[in-house]
Amino acid sequence: MTIRYLHTMVRVLKLDDTIAFFKLLGLKETRRWENNAGRFTLVFMAPPGQENCPVELTYNWDGDGALPSDSRHFGHLAYSVDNIYEICQKLQDNGIIIHRPPRDGRMAFVRSPDNISIELLQNGDALKPAEPWLSMENTGHW
């Protein structure tokens, strides 16, 4: 039996805000499908050169009030980054809360506008611990 990874799907309530968030992370929209009969939009986003590993953002036009307000019954998405301090600073400069700062130079957690937990991991060895991240406390949950 052969199995192949296709994508991770998450439901979103604020499609434009969520697309903007993933663009801040460096992902690009790879395809979009709007289904008039089903009244939903699917937007696939992936890091450049990794289009075969997208996140699928599912937006239901009539709302999604029946969804849980927080975890959506899944853990998190994880992305490796070349410089965890730079991406966290970029996100913070754009109003994104760093829920678990990269105090160790290796790992951080943020949440999308739809409360999707995103783990950011430093490529290779951890960076040398540095301020302001070193003394920054956790905010909320991740």
Side-chain angles (χ1 to χ4, degrees), residues 8-37:
T8 298
M9 182 277 265
V10 293
R11 287 181 174 83
V12 302
L13 299 175
K14 304 168 194 164
L15 184 60
D16 291 337
D17 291 349
T18 302
I19 289 171
F21 170 81
F22 281 104
K23 284 182 177 180
L24 282 173
L25 289 177
L27 278 69
K28 306 287 183 196
E29 184 173 326
T30 59
R31 62 188 158 118
R32 179 184 290 242
W33 183 47
E34 301 208 8
N35 185 304
N36 290 323

Side-chain angles (χ1 to χ4, degrees), residues 9 11 39 50 55 64 80 123 128 130-131:
M9 182 277 265
R11 287 181 174 83
R39 302 193 46 76
Q50 299 175 52
V55 59
D64 231 337
S80 64
N123 279 334
K128 182 178 177 185
E131 294 296 346

Side-chain angles (χ1 to χ4, degrees), residues 9-14 58-60 63-74 114-116:
M9 182 277 265
V10 293
R11 287 181 174 83
V12 302
L13 299 175
K14 304 168 194 164
T58 298
Y59 174 71
N60 291 311
D64 231 337
L67 288 176
S69 64
D70 188 20
S71 69
R72 307 261 200 268
H73 300 293
F74 105 110
D114 291 288
N115 238 357
I116 300 162

Side-chain angles (χ1 to χ4, degrees), residues 85-100:
Y85 296 146
E86 286 179 9
I87 190 69
C88 285
Q89 189 63 58
K90 178 181 177 181
L91 292 170
Q92 191 172 48
D93 290 348
N94 282 275
I96 304 299
I97 296 169
I98 310 300
H99 290 277
R100 195 282 189 187

Side-chain angles (χ1 to χ4, degrees), residues 2 19 29 32 66 134 136-137:
T2 301
I19 289 171
E29 184 173 326
R32 179 184 290 242
L134 184 60
M136 190 180 288
E137 297 291 324

